[in-house]
Every structure is written in C-alpha cells, then in structure tokens.
Amino acid sequence: MRNKNTDVFEKYPVPKALAVLAFPMIIGQLIILAYNLADTFFIGRTNNPLMVAGISLILPVFNITISIASLFGIGGGTLISRLLGSGESENAGKVSSFSFYAAIISAGLFALFMYIFMDPVLIALGASNDTLIYARQYTNCVIVIGAVPTILTMTLANFLRSTGFAKQAGFGVATAGILNIFLDPLFMFVILPPGNEAVGAGIATMLSNVCAFLYFMITILKLGRASSLSLSIFSCKPSLNYVKQIIFVGFPAALSVFLFDVTYMVIDKLTANYGDVALAAVGIVLKTERLPIAVGIGLCQGMMPLAAYNYSSGNHARMKEVVSYSRYIGIIVSMISVTLYELLAFYIMRIFIADPETVRLGTNFLRVRCVATPFMFLCFHPLNFFQAVGYGGKALYLGVLRFAVFNIPMLYIFEYLFGLYGIVWTQASADIIVASISYYEYHKFKRALLQ
C-alpha cells in the first residue's frame, strides 16, 4: 500500500510542499527551543549564576541523545522516504521497526553509562565544586531517567515527517515543549522547596518527553498502514543492505551532532577557565542564539523527505528546486536574525538573568556569535541534503570538515591568541570557510547528476 500523502511529494508546488512539511517542524523546533530556554529562564529567576552554569553544562550531554536519535531517526527516516519514492512501502515498514528497536537499546545503554560515570563526565565538562550538584540533579532527571523517552520521541518524529505526516510530527514535538513550559514553574517554585529548582526543571523536561513519546506511539498505531510505518517487533527484519544504508546515512548524522556536541564541550571547558560568571554568560548565549538555527533545522527537516523522495523517483528537477528554495528562505531568516540580535542583545540577556556582569559579558558574546548565523545555515543545509539522498560519505566528509578540521582546532588556537573573545569569534571564522566548501560540493553533485 502506497503512503496516502504522496501528493505532497509529487504534485504540490514546491513552496506549498515545503511549507506543508517544514512549517510544523519549524514550529516544533521553536517550541523545543522555548522549553530549553524556559529552563534557563526560570532558573535565572533565582539570580544564581552557579545554578545557571550547572544547567548549561548539560547541553552537550543532552545533545548526545539527539545524536543517537539522528542515527536511527535520520538514517532510518531518509531511507523510508527513498523507499516510498521507489514504491517499496513494505520495506519501509521493516526499516522503521528495526530503527525503533535499535533506538530503544541504544538509549538504554546511554542512560546506564551516564548513571555509572556521571561525575567524571560532568567534571570533564568543566563542572566546579560549586556547580556540580546542580548539574548532577538535572542530569539524573533528563538523561538517566529521561534518555529513552527523549530519544524515541525524536526518532518517531523523524519517521512521521519522512512519510509526509509533518503535522503530526510537529504537534508531538510541540506538545513536549508546551508541557515543559507549564511544568517548569510548577515543579520549581510550587511543588519542590527552594534550592531544588534544578531538580524541578529536570523533572518537568523528563515528564514532557514521556508524554510526547506516548503521543507518537498512539499516533503511529492509529495511522496503521496508511503511514507505511511499523513498530511491530515481528517486522524488525530488513535486509542487510537496508541496515547498511541506515548506518551509512545515520552515522554521519549522528557524528555531526556528536562533533557539534564536542564543540560545545570545548567551549564550556575553555570558558570555565575564565570563571563561573563567564560560563553562565556563554551558556545563555549558546541557547538564545539558537532561534534562527531552530528555524533552519525545521526548514531542512521539511526539505529532506522532499529531496529524498524526488531523488529516488527520478524527478531531479523538482529535487533541485526544493533545495534552492529552502536555501533562499534560510538565508533570509538568518540575515533578519543577525540584525535583531545586534540591536537587542542586551535586552535578551536581561530576560534570563539580572546579574550585571553576566549580562555585560553575554551581550558582547551574543553580538559576536550571531555573525555566524547565515554561514552556519549554509554549512548544515548541504549536509542535510546529502543525508537525504543517501550520500552518507559526502555528509560525513562535510561534518568532520566543519567540526574536527576547522571549528574545534580553531577554538584552541583562537583562545590561545585572543583569550575569551577568541572562543566567541571562532564559529563565524570556521563556518565561512566550511560554507564555501559545502556550496562547492553541492554544485559538483548537481553537475554529475546532469551527466
């Protein structure tokens, strides 16, 4: 049975098709950002930079859950889109089942690892004696208890998006975010006594992801064969070739997130040398700068199944139109965001914390970091395209190039040469180079496609 949403892949005008698939994902990404910022916002109400710093340290650890979800959600999801494009809906069901159970096992192992090695990991990330207790409290809730529902939520959202059910995917992601925003103050300031705000924020995030996971399970079961997805363990038997394709695309996606994560770890570690106030300021900036990035990610999430389906079905002209139009929209959003950040950086920082020194440093950091926004989008847009069409090797090359070859080494070099502000300037410097290379690689692919 063919997926009932094939019209959005084949017949809708590209702007409409991209809007149908990307808009729910953009809203979902913005709500994810909102609930991540909600934790920082409400903890900032304590006016305790140590607690803000402790929570900020967990971002790289939380991003590992995104990395695991990307391995099976993007690796499996893009393959599902390509299989639907070639009319192989039964194999799409086998791929979704395998990816689902592989994600469960991986999530459980990661949660166990963090339970056993939590303190060494947090100290390696830069936790001091003063911030370790807050980082530990938050990690117990969000990672040790919450890793499995969090990873499965993101994985299942990718599956629905890849089969054209972007509204359902976006609604589930939005549900988690909205619940988190409402549960944060309830647990932090009403249910738990003062001093336990980090625990309250962690419980709110964990419960929100549990609810979203249950929604996705119910939705996929209700859709049944109409979605071409299967979560039955008896369907968990794709061919070895399909397993290889999941890993071939999913591994570069996971590695890119992991290397992005390592970059944040390096930033935290280098910034920690300048004190907890600087670490708190950078922690807020790294979250607040993600507004245009969230829009860009949602845009790419809408682009990927369209590109994958049309590449597999042989409609390369439509595929190229999808890529060009999504790139155009992403650049416009990025440039608007740079302007707003430059004008409003001080006021943005004041929303999250009142400490004058944290606000001063964060204002300067945000005005520098936002310069990288359009170049960041131009780096991950081609990478996501190559993932979509199954060119895992090319995606791996661009991901490693961006983070391991340029960004991470340049962080150490710039910090050595220019100190604290060298850390902040690295992103723009590295991404200008990588964006140029990524753009060249995409055009080389297009030329080869026409031959």
Side-chain angles (χ1 to χ4, degrees):
M1 178 179 178
R2 287 179 65 83
N3 182 281
K4 71 177 185 179
N5 283 352
T6 53
D7 281 357
V8 72
F9 293 115
E10 298 174 352
K11 298 179 181 179
Y12 284 18
V14 165
K16 181 180 178 180
L18 192 62
V20 167
L21 291 177
F23 186 72
M25 304 315 299
I26 290 172
I27 297 300
Q29 285 295 320
L30 291 176
I31 293 176
I32 289 175
L33 175 65
Y35 86 69
N36 283 329
L37 291 175
D39 287 351
T40 303
F41 172 81
F42 287 118
I43 290 172
R45 296 309 88 199
T46 66
N47 207 29
N48 182 349
L50 297 177
M51 190 177 291
V52 173
I55 297 302
S56 299
L57 284 168
I58 308 307
L59 182 59
V61 179
F62 183 79
N63 282 342
I64 294 178
T65 65
I66 302 176
S67 181
I68 296 171
S70 296
L71 174 59
F72 301 107
I74 293 178
T78 55
L79 178 55
I80 289 167
S81 292
R82 295 196 301 276
L83 289 170
L84 292 177
S86 58
E88 301 178 62
S89 58
E90 183 177 348
N91 285 327
K94 293 179 181 180
V95 167
S96 63
S97 178
F98 171 82
S99 300
F100 175 71
Y101 288 103
I104 292 176
I105 295 170
S106 300
L109 291 174
F110 177 60
L112 179 62
F113 173 85
M114 284 305 301
Y115 175 75
I116 297 172
F117 299 105
M118 185 184 305
D119 281 4
V121 169
L122 296 177
I123 292 170
L125 290 175
S128 65
N129 291 333
D130 294 322
T131 59
L132 181 61
I133 183 172
Y134 304 120
R136 188 188 295 129
Q137 290 171 346
Y138 194 70
T139 303
N140 271 321
C141 299
V142 175
I143 306 299
V144 175
I145 301 174
V148 172
T150 299
I151 289 170
L152 292 181
T153 291
M154 291 183 281
T155 301
L156 295 178
N158 273 308
F159 289 173
L160 283 170
R161 174 173 52 82
S162 296
T163 52
F165 292 92
K167 289 183 180 179
Q168 290 85 342
F171 180 81
V173 172
T175 297
I178 293 170
L179 276 174
N180 199 105
I181 292 169
F182 281 102
L183 291 177
D184 261 342
L186 180 65
F187 280 97
M188 292 171 68
F189 304 119
V190 178
I191 295 177
L192 298 179
N196 290 280
E197 289 84 1
V199 178
I203 292 174
T205 299
M206 180 268 296
L207 289 177
S208 301
N209 284 318
V210 168
C211 292
F213 164 65
L214 293 175
Y215 162 79
F216 281 124
M217 289 290 292
I218 293 169
T219 298
I220 290 176
L221 292 174
K222 281 186 175 180
L223 287 171
R225 291 181 59 83
S227 70
S228 302
L229 297 174
S230 173
L231 302 181
S232 170
I233 195 168
F234 300 107
S235 299
C236 187
K237 297 176 182 178
S239 69
L240 181 60
N241 178 49
Y242 289 149
V243 174
K244 289 179 179 178
Q245 289 187 55
I246 292 169
I247 296 172
F248 186 61
V249 173
F251 177 73
L255 183 63
S256 293
V257 175
F258 177 74
L259 290 174
F260 174 83
D261 199 27
V262 172
T263 302
Y264 271 43
M265 292 179 189
V266 172
I267 291 173
D268 283 343
K269 189 68 175 177
L270 293 175
T271 306
N273 296 328
Y274 296 88
D276 290 326
V277 172
L279 185 61
V282 166
I284 294 172
V285 168
L286 292 180
K287 288 189 176 183
T288 55
E289 72 174 5
R290 292 187 65 82
L291 175 62
I293 299 173
V295 175
I297 291 171
L299 192 61
C300 288
Q301 288 178 341
M303 176 269 292
M304 289 174 71
L306 276 173
Y309 187 100
N310 285 284
Y311 174 76
S312 181
S313 65
N315 193 347
H316 296 157
R318 182 174 172 85
M319 177 204 74
K320 287 184 283 187
E321 187 181 355
V322 167
V323 174
S324 297
Y325 186 76
S326 59
R327 186 198 303 122
Y328 173 73
I329 297 298
I331 292 173
I332 290 176
V333 171
S334 298
M335 297 307 297
I336 293 172
S337 300
V338 171
T339 303
L340 293 176
Y341 277 135
E342 293 291 349
L343 294 173
L344 304 175
F346 172 79
Y347 303 100
I348 292 171
M349 289 300 301
R350 283 295 302 271
I351 291 172
F352 295 97
I353 196 165
D355 178 66
E357 182 62 12
T358 307
V359 170
R360 183 188 69 83
L361 285 174
T363 299
N364 294 336
F365 294 164
L366 184 55
R367 284 175 175 157
V368 171
R369 289 276 303 185
C370 75
V371 173
T373 303
F375 304 105
M376 292 175 72
F377 175 76
L378 290 173
C379 286
F380 63 71
H381 182 265
L383 187 148
N384 284 334
F385 167 76
F386 285 120
Q387 291 170 353
V389 297
Y391 277 61
K394 190 71 71 176
L396 178 63
Y397 162 68
L398 292 178
V400 171
L401 186 74
R402 183 185 180 199
F403 295 110
V405 176
F406 286 102
N407 210 318
I408 294 174
M410 287 174 68
L411 275 169
Y412 286 101
I413 295 170
F414 276 39
E415 191 272 338
Y416 176 78
L417 294 175
F418 308 112
L420 179 59
Y421 281 87
I423 300 171
V424 186
W425 271 109
T426 298
Q427 188 76 56
S429 304
D431 281 351
I432 288 172
I433 300 170
V434 179
S436 302
I437 297 172
S438 300
Y439 190 73
Y440 167 76
E441 290 293 340
Y442 171 69
H443 278 275
K444 188 167 68 172
F445 171 85
K446 280 204 309 181
R447 288 196 302 269
L449 204 61
L450 294 173
Q451 293 177 356

